[in-house]
Amino acid sequence: MDKTFLKGLTLLETLARSDRACGVTELAETLQLNKSNVHRLLQGLVHQGFARKNGDSGRYELTMKLWELGSHVRSRLDIRQVAQPFMERLAADSSETVHLSVLDGIDVLYLAKIDSPQPVRAYTTVGGRAPAQCVATGKAQLAWADATRIAQTKAALRAYSSKSITRGADLDTELERIRTQGYATNRGEWREQVCGVAAAIRDASGEVVAAVGLSGPTERLKARQMKEWGPPVAKVAEEISRLLGYTGPQ
Protein backbone atom coordinates (compact mmCIF):
# COMPACT_ATOMS: atom_id res chain seq x y z
CA MET A 1 0.00 0.00 0.00
CA ASP A 2 1.33 3.44 -0.95
CA LYS A 3 2.21 5.20 2.33
CA THR A 4 2.54 8.61 0.65
CA PHE A 5 -0.97 8.29 -0.75
CA LEU A 6 -2.33 7.37 2.68
CA LYS A 7 -0.55 10.34 4.26
CA GLY A 8 -2.10 12.60 1.63
CA LEU A 9 -5.58 11.28 2.41
CA THR A 10 -4.99 11.77 6.14
CA LEU A 11 -3.87 15.34 5.48
CA LEU A 12 -6.95 15.95 3.34
CA GLU A 13 -9.21 14.64 6.11
CA THR A 14 -7.42 16.78 8.72
CA LEU A 15 -7.96 19.93 6.67
CA ALA A 16 -11.59 18.98 6.07
CA ARG A 17 -12.27 18.56 9.79
CA SER A 18 -10.55 21.81 10.76
CA ASP A 19 -12.74 24.88 11.28
CA ARG A 20 -9.91 27.20 10.16
CA ALA A 21 -6.89 27.33 7.88
CA CYS A 22 -3.84 25.40 9.13
CA GLY A 23 -0.11 26.10 8.99
CA VAL A 24 2.59 23.63 7.97
CA THR A 25 4.05 23.37 11.48
CA GLU A 26 0.64 22.76 13.03
CA LEU A 27 -0.19 20.05 10.50
CA ALA A 28 3.21 18.39 10.93
CA GLU A 29 2.67 18.16 14.69
CA THR A 30 -0.88 16.88 14.33
CA LEU A 31 0.07 14.21 11.78
CA GLN A 32 3.46 13.45 13.36
CA LEU A 33 5.27 14.08 10.09
CA ASN A 34 8.23 16.29 9.33
CA LYS A 35 7.46 19.70 7.85
CA SER A 36 9.08 18.97 4.49
CA ASN A 37 6.77 15.98 3.97
CA VAL A 38 3.72 18.01 4.92
CA HIS A 39 4.75 20.84 2.62
CA ARG A 40 5.19 18.42 -0.29
CA LEU A 41 1.81 16.82 0.34
CA LEU A 42 0.16 20.24 0.53
CA GLN A 43 1.67 21.23 -2.79
CA GLY A 44 0.12 18.10 -4.31
CA LEU A 45 -3.31 19.04 -2.94
CA VAL A 46 -2.91 22.59 -4.24
CA HIS A 47 -1.82 21.34 -7.65
CA GLN A 48 -4.90 19.09 -7.90
CA GLY A 49 -7.21 21.89 -6.81
CA PHE A 50 -8.19 20.44 -3.42
CA ALA A 51 -6.43 23.10 -1.31
CA ARG A 52 -5.22 26.67 -1.52
CA LYS A 53 -2.70 28.78 0.38
CA ASN A 54 -3.82 31.96 2.08
CA GLY A 55 -1.36 34.55 0.85
CA ASP A 56 -1.59 36.73 3.96
CA SER A 57 -1.26 34.07 6.66
CA GLY A 58 0.62 31.38 4.74
CA ARG A 59 -1.91 28.84 6.03
CA TYR A 60 -3.72 26.22 3.98
CA GLU A 61 -7.41 25.45 3.61
CA LEU A 62 -9.55 23.28 1.38
CA THR A 63 -11.31 24.52 -1.73
CA MET A 64 -14.83 23.45 -2.72
CA LYS A 65 -13.56 20.63 -4.95
CA LEU A 66 -14.01 17.98 -2.27
CA TRP A 67 -17.59 19.18 -1.74
CA GLU A 68 -18.22 19.01 -5.49
CA LEU A 69 -16.99 15.42 -5.65
CA GLY A 70 -19.06 14.53 -2.63
CA SER A 71 -22.11 16.04 -4.28
CA HIS A 72 -21.66 13.70 -7.24
CA VAL A 73 -21.52 10.70 -4.93
CA ARG A 74 -24.53 11.95 -2.99
CA SER A 75 -26.53 12.36 -6.19
CA ARG A 76 -25.85 8.73 -7.05
CA LEU A 77 -27.10 7.58 -3.67
CA ASP A 78 -30.23 9.74 -3.88
CA ILE A 79 -31.05 8.55 -7.38
CA ARG A 80 -31.77 5.01 -6.21
CA GLN A 81 -34.37 6.17 -3.73
CA VAL A 82 -35.98 8.61 -6.15
CA ALA A 83 -35.96 6.15 -9.04
CA GLN A 84 -37.32 3.11 -7.19
CA PRO A 85 -41.08 3.73 -7.61
CA PHE A 86 -40.63 4.63 -11.28
CA MET A 87 -38.56 1.49 -11.85
CA GLU A 88 -41.28 -0.56 -10.17
CA ARG A 89 -43.92 0.96 -12.44
CA LEU A 90 -41.83 0.33 -15.55
CA ALA A 91 -41.17 -3.26 -14.46
CA ALA A 92 -44.89 -3.85 -13.88
CA ASP A 93 -45.84 -2.35 -17.23
CA SER A 94 -43.19 -4.17 -19.27
CA SER A 95 -42.66 -7.43 -17.33
CA GLU A 96 -38.98 -7.04 -18.25
CA THR A 97 -35.89 -6.48 -16.13
CA VAL A 98 -35.38 -2.81 -15.25
CA HIS A 99 -31.95 -1.29 -14.51
CA LEU A 100 -30.55 1.90 -13.03
CA SER A 101 -26.89 2.53 -13.87
CA VAL A 102 -24.20 5.20 -13.80
CA LEU A 103 -21.09 5.71 -15.91
CA ASP A 104 -17.85 4.74 -14.20
CA GLY A 105 -14.97 5.36 -16.58
CA ILE A 106 -15.99 3.69 -19.82
CA ASP A 107 -18.19 1.11 -18.10
CA VAL A 108 -21.66 1.23 -16.66
CA LEU A 109 -22.05 0.30 -13.02
CA TYR A 110 -25.45 -1.13 -12.09
CA LEU A 111 -26.87 0.62 -9.02
CA ALA A 112 -30.26 -1.09 -8.85
CA LYS A 113 -32.46 -3.51 -10.74
CA ILE A 114 -35.85 -5.16 -10.66
CA ASP A 115 -35.92 -8.64 -12.16
CA SER A 116 -38.45 -9.70 -14.74
CA PRO A 117 -41.01 -12.24 -13.45
CA GLN A 118 -40.63 -14.21 -16.67
CA PRO A 119 -38.54 -17.41 -16.67
CA VAL A 120 -36.33 -16.19 -19.53
CA ARG A 121 -34.88 -12.77 -18.65
CA ALA A 122 -31.80 -10.56 -18.83
CA TYR A 123 -29.16 -11.45 -16.24
CA THR A 124 -27.19 -8.73 -14.47
CA THR A 125 -26.09 -8.07 -10.90
CA VAL A 126 -26.21 -4.91 -8.80
CA GLY A 127 -22.60 -3.73 -8.56
CA GLY A 128 -21.81 -5.44 -11.85
CA ARG A 129 -20.34 -3.74 -14.89
CA ALA A 130 -20.70 -3.73 -18.65
CA PRO A 131 -18.94 -1.81 -21.44
CA ALA A 132 -20.91 1.41 -21.85
CA GLN A 133 -21.03 1.35 -25.65
CA CYS A 134 -22.66 -2.10 -25.63
CA VAL A 135 -25.67 -1.56 -23.37
CA ALA A 136 -28.58 0.84 -23.62
CA THR A 137 -28.05 2.55 -20.24
CA GLY A 138 -24.41 3.12 -21.16
CA LYS A 139 -25.11 4.53 -24.60
CA ALA A 140 -27.85 6.79 -23.20
CA GLN A 141 -25.19 8.41 -20.98
CA LEU A 142 -22.37 8.39 -23.53
CA ALA A 143 -24.57 10.41 -25.88
CA TRP A 144 -24.12 13.37 -23.50
CA ALA A 145 -20.59 12.62 -22.30
CA ASP A 146 -17.60 14.89 -22.89
CA ALA A 147 -15.16 14.40 -25.75
CA THR A 148 -12.51 12.84 -23.51
CA ARG A 149 -14.75 10.04 -22.30
CA ILE A 150 -16.01 9.34 -25.81
CA ALA A 151 -12.42 9.20 -27.09
CA GLN A 152 -11.53 6.75 -24.31
CA THR A 153 -14.53 4.63 -25.26
CA LYS A 154 -13.55 4.61 -28.91
CA ALA A 155 -10.02 3.52 -28.03
CA ALA A 156 -11.44 0.47 -26.22
CA LEU A 157 -13.97 -0.63 -28.85
CA ARG A 158 -13.99 -4.35 -29.57
CA ALA A 159 -16.47 -7.06 -30.50
CA TYR A 160 -18.31 -8.63 -27.58
CA SER A 161 -20.88 -10.06 -29.98
CA SER A 162 -21.41 -10.03 -33.73
CA LYS A 163 -23.53 -6.89 -33.29
CA SER A 164 -21.09 -4.83 -31.20
CA ILE A 165 -20.05 -1.38 -32.41
CA THR A 166 -16.36 -1.63 -33.28
CA ARG A 167 -15.71 1.55 -35.33
CA GLY A 168 -15.48 5.05 -33.91
CA ALA A 169 -17.48 6.54 -36.78
CA ASP A 170 -20.31 4.10 -36.12
CA LEU A 171 -20.33 5.05 -32.45
CA ASP A 172 -20.58 8.73 -33.41
CA THR A 173 -23.57 7.96 -35.64
CA GLU A 174 -25.21 5.94 -32.87
CA LEU A 175 -24.77 8.66 -30.25
CA GLU A 176 -26.20 11.28 -32.60
CA ARG A 177 -29.25 9.06 -33.16
CA ILE A 178 -29.73 8.78 -29.40
CA ARG A 179 -29.54 12.55 -28.93
CA THR A 180 -32.15 13.00 -31.67
CA GLN A 181 -34.68 10.37 -30.56
CA GLY A 182 -34.17 10.76 -26.80
CA TYR A 183 -33.47 7.15 -25.91
CA ALA A 184 -30.88 4.44 -26.61
CA THR A 185 -31.21 0.82 -27.69
CA ASN A 186 -29.02 -2.24 -27.37
CA ARG A 187 -29.51 -4.67 -30.20
CA GLY A 188 -27.63 -7.63 -28.75
CA GLU A 189 -24.31 -5.76 -28.64
CA TRP A 190 -23.18 -7.04 -25.24
CA ARG A 191 -24.92 -10.41 -25.07
CA GLU A 192 -26.17 -11.67 -28.42
CA GLN A 193 -29.59 -12.69 -27.11
CA VAL A 194 -30.29 -9.66 -24.89
CA CYS A 195 -31.69 -6.31 -26.06
CA GLY A 196 -32.59 -3.16 -24.18
CA VAL A 197 -33.97 0.38 -24.18
CA ALA A 198 -32.80 3.21 -21.88
CA ALA A 199 -32.81 6.97 -21.39
CA ALA A 200 -30.61 9.41 -19.52
CA ILE A 201 -31.40 10.96 -16.14
CA ARG A 202 -30.31 14.54 -15.36
CA ASP A 203 -29.81 16.34 -12.07
CA ALA A 204 -30.65 19.92 -11.08
CA SER A 205 -27.64 21.27 -12.97
CA GLY A 206 -28.74 19.54 -16.19
CA GLU A 207 -25.85 17.08 -16.06
CA VAL A 208 -26.52 13.46 -17.04
CA VAL A 209 -25.92 11.46 -13.86
CA ALA A 210 -27.49 8.06 -14.59
CA ALA A 211 -29.76 6.13 -16.92
CA VAL A 212 -32.80 3.93 -16.48
CA GLY A 213 -33.82 1.21 -18.89
CA LEU A 214 -35.34 -2.18 -19.46
CA SER A 215 -33.83 -5.27 -21.04
CA GLY A 216 -34.95 -8.70 -22.10
CA PRO A 217 -34.40 -11.53 -24.57
CA THR A 218 -34.38 -10.77 -28.28
CA GLU A 219 -37.49 -12.86 -28.89
CA ARG A 220 -39.51 -10.41 -26.79
CA LEU A 221 -37.64 -7.16 -27.50
CA LYS A 222 -37.49 -7.02 -31.27
CA ALA A 223 -36.93 -3.74 -33.14
CA ARG A 224 -40.64 -2.88 -33.14
CA GLN A 225 -41.04 -3.50 -29.41
CA MET A 226 -37.95 -1.41 -28.60
CA LYS A 227 -39.29 1.45 -30.70
CA GLU A 228 -42.60 1.24 -28.82
CA TRP A 229 -40.88 1.21 -25.43
CA GLY A 230 -38.50 4.09 -26.24
CA PRO A 231 -40.88 7.00 -25.44
CA PRO A 232 -42.26 5.45 -22.20
CA VAL A 233 -38.73 4.78 -20.95
CA ALA A 234 -37.71 8.34 -21.86
CA LYS A 235 -40.77 9.60 -19.95
CA VAL A 236 -39.72 7.66 -16.84
CA ALA A 237 -36.20 9.12 -17.09
CA GLU A 238 -37.70 12.60 -17.38
CA GLU A 239 -39.92 12.11 -14.33
CA ILE A 240 -36.94 10.98 -12.25
CA SER A 241 -34.94 13.95 -13.52
CA ARG A 242 -37.68 16.38 -12.48
CA LEU A 243 -37.64 15.01 -8.94
CA LEU A 244 -33.86 15.48 -8.89
CA GLY A 245 -34.42 19.16 -9.66
CA TYR A 246 -33.99 19.24 -13.44
CA THR A 247 -36.01 22.08 -14.96
CA GLY A 248 -34.77 22.05 -18.54
CA PRO A 249 -36.73 21.23 -21.69
CA GLN A 250 -38.39 17.86 -22.10
Side-chain angles (χ1 to χ4, degrees):
M1 190 172 293
D2 191 321
K3 292 183 178 179
T4 300
F5 178 69
L6 292 178
K7 291 175 183 177
L9 289 178
T10 303
L11 175 60
L12 187 66
E13 184 176 354
T14 301
L15 287 170
R17 293 183 183 279
S18 177
D19 57 2
R20 56 184 174 79
C22 300
V24 174
T25 300
E26 177 186 359
L27 289 167
E29 291 174 353
T30 300
L31 300 175
Q32 297 184 334
L33 297 172
N34 62 56
K35 290 195 290 185
S36 62
N37 280 345
V38 170
H39 185 267
R40 184 167 59 252
L41 292 170
L42 284 168
Q43 295 313 301
L45 292 179
V46 170
H47 181 267
Q48 292 301 117
F50 286 98
R52 59 172 167 257
K53 183 179 181 180
N54 186 308
D56 295 330
S57 67
R59 293 174 173 268
Y60 291 83
E61 60 186 359
L62 291 186
T63 66
M64 295 297 288
K65 185 171 183 178
L66 191 61
W67 179 85
E68 291 171 359
L69 293 177
S71 296
H72 285 295
V73 175
R74 180 178 180 275
S75 70
R76 290 185 180 185
L77 297 176
D78 289 347
I79 286 171
R80 285 184 292 187
Q81 182 178 358
V82 172
Q84 184 66 26
F86 297 96
M87 293 175 64
E88 291 173 355
R89 188 183 76 200
L90 185 58
D93 290 345
S94 67
S95 294
E96 300 293 355
T97 298
V98 175
H99 299 102
L100 178 72
S101 78
V102 294
L103 275 182
D104 188 28
I106 59 173
D107 293 336
V108 293
L109 177 67
Y110 292 106
L111 292 185
K113 79 163 186 170
I114 299 175
D115 279 319
S116 167
Q118 306 198 60
V120 179
R121 59 196 183 198
Y123 176 77
T124 53
T125 58
V126 173
R129 293 173 176 269
Q133 77 277 6
C134 292
V135 295
T137 57
K139 290 197 286 185
Q141 296 174 82
L142 280 178
W144 310 101
D146 59 40
T148 298
R149 196 187 299 261
I150 292 175
Q152 291 170 342
T153 302
K154 288 180 179 179
L157 290 176
R158 69 180 182 88
Y160 294 91
S161 81
S162 64
K163 298 177 182 178
S164 297
I165 295 173
T166 57
R167 296 174 61 248
D170 293 337
L171 180 62
D172 287 335
T173 300
E174 179 76 353
L175 298 183
E176 180 58 34
R177 180 185 301 116
I178 294 164
R179 288 188 287 268
T180 299
Q181 67 187 14
Y183 63 88
T185 58
N186 159 25
R187 300 171 290 274
E189 296 152 55
W190 171 227
R191 297 289 183 255
E192 194 90 32
Q193 300 304 314
V194 177
C195 293
V197 185
I201 296 170
R202 297 178 184 271
D203 66 8
S205 70
E207 179 182 356
V208 170
V209 292
V212 62
L214 59 83
S215 60
T218 54
E219 59 262 30
R220 292 201 301 267
L221 285 181
K222 295 180 169 59
R224 181 172 64 83
Q225 284 77 23
M226 288 194 288
K227 186 174 182 180
E228 290 173 352
W229 275 112
V233 169
K235 181 64 176 176
V236 166
E238 182 193 338
E239 291 174 329
I240 296 170
S241 299
R242 297 295 176 190
L243 287 182
L244 291 174
Y246 178 61
T247 59
Q250 296 184 6

